[in-house]
Amino acid sequence: MKIAWKNLFTTSLFISVAGLSHSSLAESALNQQLTLESCHVKGIRQQVQCGTLVVPENYAKADGAKININFVVLPAIDNSKEKQPLMFLAGGPGQAATELSGQIYTGFNEIRKTRDLLLIDQRGTGKSHPLQCEEPLDIDPYTSIPEDFSVTDIEECLSQLSGDLSQYTSENSIRDFDAVRQALGHEQVHIYGGSYGTRAGLVYMRMFPTSIKSVVLDSVGPIEVPIGLFGKSAEQSFVKLLNNCQNDDKCAKQYPDLAKEFAKVSAKLSLAPVTVNIAHPRLGTDIEFTISKEKFISTIQMQLYSMQTRSLVPLLIHQAYLGDYKPLAGLIAQGEGGMGIYIGLHFNIVCNEDFPKITGSMRAADAENNFAKGMSLDMVGKACAAWPKYQPSANFYQTVTADIPTLIMSGALDPVTPASNGEKSDKNLPNSHHIIAKNNAHIVASTTCGISIVNEFLALQTPKDLDESCLADIPDESFMLGLNGGAAPVTTPVKVKE
């Protein structure tokens, strides 16, 4: 069965090398080949620097197969070389950091005023030996549904991948990152990790603590919490949205029965998917649009990540209750270009480093919710059953206790990395401070306030002495009241069978 891979990622996030010493890795890095040149990248008019570093695919076999690690340096505005750069660790797992260059260039502009930003494509993403599963050209995202996903899709995905998959691990990625740091001549770097990038950051802190000046962990995925246990946190985020709507006079008036409407739409779609004829959201041509329960809920869940898209959720649910699925189709049209996740790398890490740690009782407890139930783990379980296995190193699951200045940030509305995750890391790290942004979802540094706090931390290196007052100025979430923005939709409700 052919599947649109995006439908599976709307609910997101071996040969042992444990015996290798840091000194042996550093010695092998001396022979690695570095290229660095001026270039232009998508989304940035100014010239930046692009580079590659040749590294072993298997660090235990330095003379074996090699791969290129791709990176981009966004130079500091003041051209200063005195301050350590900030290394950006992307999420996923499976995001390519360099493909976020345009967004980071703008969003981290305040930080870039005085220090370089270093973006490295994790091995298996971007131009670092990508492990990507391409969708067939005949896949229609409007009629494809997650329930169609099968082992055949995984087998077709695996047939497209090359290299020794057992070497595309979180730990080897960190070896690559530190090799790039060393090759560029930086004694130390600051690191910023967002989402899965926090997991990578924690692994970096354990493996190469002397290479790091300070750490920012934004929306934490700690080692102790396997990626994929999103049922409870997604429900918590959704319930907070419902409550915030009911506490807003205009939203409560427009959508007085939002929770009931969500339950009724979910119940209807659980009986059978619904296919309707609509105008293509971008082209205007007549198309069929199929919506299933999992497609409906996973689309809603993706909107919970961002404060901007959370504002759409009441409208999406209400219109679906009225039988109008065009707003949902519009969101799918916006994402037709994909999510920027390298599917092969994502499954390779999650299926080997996370899914095996999820016990039956953990899975059952996470599925006890009134939102997505066990939906995300069910799909991941299908993939992992057929995915090649490798064994993470004996040290991988160690609790990280490195004494490095660390700023931890969480959004109270986050659907996948709740504030409780940040509390776990804050408890274990001796020189850390945890900030919880009441009116923020996933990635606190997506706000001007968050970036301001990060910039102050990088300058002061004292996580407990930062000015957090701007957090109080982030407004409560607001909601779209109609198809034309603030206006209520002119639609007659349809009776939904109980």
Side-chain angles (χ1 to χ4, degrees):
M1 179 65 70
K2 295 177 180 177
I3 185 71
W5 289 110
K6 182 178 183 295
N7 286 339
L8 303 183
F9 292 90
T10 48
T11 54
S12 315
L13 289 155
F14 139 104
I15 298 175
S16 176
V17 294
L20 287 177
S21 69
H22 292 176
S23 60
S24 66
L25 293 173
E27 184 177 341
S28 68
L30 296 177
N31 299 319
Q32 293 160 352
Q33 300 173 5
L34 174 73
T35 63
L36 187 64
E37 60 186 6
S38 297
C39 65
H40 286 90
V41 297
K42 184 178 179 180
I44 302 176
R45 291 184 178 181
Q46 287 79 6
Q47 203 171 62
V48 298
Q49 291 184 305
C50 296
T52 60
L53 181 67
V54 179
V55 302
E57 182 181 52
N58 183 343
Y59 276 89
K61 299 179 180 178
D63 296 329
K66 302 292 193 296
I67 61 173
N68 290 334
I69 299 301
N70 181 63
F71 64 91
V72 168
V73 179
L74 307 182
I77 295 174
D78 68 358
N79 292 321
S80 172
K81 300 300 179 186
E82 296 180 5
K83 294 186 176 180
Q84 294 101 336
L86 176 66
M87 182 186 292
F88 182 94
L89 307 183
Q95 275 187 312
T98 67
E99 293 177 4
L100 303 174
S101 294
Q103 297 166 256
I104 297 169
Y105 185 86
T106 302
F108 282 57
N109 182 67
E110 193 64 28
I111 295 171
R112 192 173 54 82
K113 286 181 178 178
T114 57
R115 66 181 77 246
D116 292 351
L117 302 182
L118 176 56
L119 285 57
I120 307 173
D121 286 343
Q122 181 175 356
R123 58 167 61 197
T125 74
K127 296 179 181 178
S128 297
H129 192 97
L131 299 177
Q132 184 60 296
C133 304
E134 300 295 340
E135 294 179 2
L137 295 177
D138 59 348
I139 284 293
D140 184 349
Y142 298 100
T143 57
S144 173
I145 58 176
E147 288 88 342
D148 289 340
F149 178 57
S150 71
V151 172
T152 301
D153 295 301
I154 290 298
E155 292 172 346
E156 292 179 359
C157 170
L158 286 167
S159 71
Q160 301 173 38
L161 307 181
S162 65
D164 180 357
L165 295 184
S166 71
Q167 299 307 312
Y168 291 79
T169 69
S170 292
E171 289 184 315
N172 274 350
S173 298
I174 298 307
R175 292 184 173 96
D176 299 337
F177 295 168
D178 202 60
V180 171
R181 172 203 62 79
Q182 184 182 23
L184 290 176
H186 300 301
E187 184 176 346
Q188 287 187 313
V189 293
H190 303 272
I191 61 173
Y192 167 92
S195 198
Y196 165 77
T198 64
R199 165 79 63 84
L202 287 162
V203 174
Y204 204 157
M205 293 169 75
R206 172 178 60 78
M207 294 179 68
F208 300 101
T210 60
S211 298
I212 303 171
K213 183 71 172 177
S214 74
V215 179
V216 179
L217 302 176
D218 190 350
S219 304
V220 184
I223 304 292
E224 297 84 357
V225 180
I227 295 172
L229 291 174
F230 299 150
K232 288 289 192 182
S233 57
E235 178 192 44
Q236 175 182 278
S237 176
F238 182 63
V239 169
K240 287 182 178 180
L241 182 147
L242 296 178
N243 291 340
N244 288 341
C245 175
Q246 294 309 301
N247 291 331
D248 179 288
D249 291 341
K250 292 181 180 179
C251 189
K253 181 179 179 181
Q254 186 60 43
Y255 311 113
D257 298 313
L258 199 58
K260 291 181 180 179
E261 291 179 358
F262 173 79
K264 289 179 177 180
V265 173
S266 298
K268 177 182 178 180
L269 294 174
S270 68
L271 299 176
V274 172
T275 298
V276 295
N277 293 313
I278 63 170
H280 191 288
R282 291 188 297 104
L283 305 177
T285 55
D286 292 335
I287 63 169
E288 285 190 343
F289 177 57
T290 300
I291 185 77
S292 65
K293 180 181 178 181
E294 289 189 9
K295 193 172 187 175
F296 171 65
I297 293 177
S298 61
T299 301
I300 295 296
Q301 183 165 341
M302 271 306 298
Q303 312 319 309
L304 300 179
Y305 281 65
S306 159
M307 298 306 291
Q308 289 75 21
T309 55
R310 286 174 69 90
S311 69
L312 304 174
V313 170
L315 175 65
L316 293 171
I317 294 172
H318 185 62
Q319 291 304 114
Y321 171 74
L322 298 176
D324 176 14
Y325 298 105
K326 290 191 293 294
L328 284 167
L331 286 173
I332 290 172
Q334 291 179 16
E336 275 193 80
M339 294 181 63
I341 295 290
Y342 286 77
I343 308 300
L345 191 277
H346 179 90
F347 280 138
N348 203 55
I349 286 180
V350 172
C351 289
N352 286 290
E353 297 179 3
D354 293 277
F355 193 74
K357 304 296 289 186
I358 299 175
T359 64
S361 59
M362 291 166 66
R363 188 168 180 169
D366 193 61
E368 288 183 4
N369 65 81
N370 293 315
F371 181 60
K373 305 296 184 181
M375 187 175 68
S376 62
L377 276 180
D378 289 342
M379 290 187 290
V380 171
K382 286 183 183 179
C384 294
W387 202 266
K389 304 297 189 288
Y390 68 78
Q391 181 63 48
S393 77
N395 296 327
F396 182 73
Y397 298 105
Q398 285 184 357
T399 296
V400 179
T401 59
D403 189 2
I404 302 171
T406 305
L407 171 63
I408 302 170
M409 302 194 294
S410 299
L413 306 177
D414 196 320
V416 287
T417 53
S420 58
N421 284 9
E423 289 297 326
K424 291 180 184 296
S425 292
D426 188 40
K427 180 180 178 180
N428 295 325
L429 297 170
N431 190 9
S432 65
H433 177 56
H434 186 202
I435 292 174
I436 301 175
K438 173 177 175 287
N439 293 320
N440 206 89
H442 198 58
I443 304 299
V444 179
S446 63
T447 66
T448 302
C449 175
I451 283 292
S452 175
I453 294 173
V454 171
N455 197 37
E456 183 184 16
F457 168 68
L458 294 175
L460 300 180
Q461 300 291 291
T462 51
K464 294 181 174 64
D465 298 326
L466 305 175
D467 181 1
E468 305 170 20
S469 60
C470 63
L471 292 172
D473 298 328
I474 300 177
D476 294 339
E477 61 179 330
S478 58
F479 303 97
M480 185 176 289
L481 303 180
L483 295 174
N484 296 316
V490 182
T491 316
T492 302
V494 296
K495 189 169 184 67
V496 176
K497 187 176 180 180
E498 298 288 346

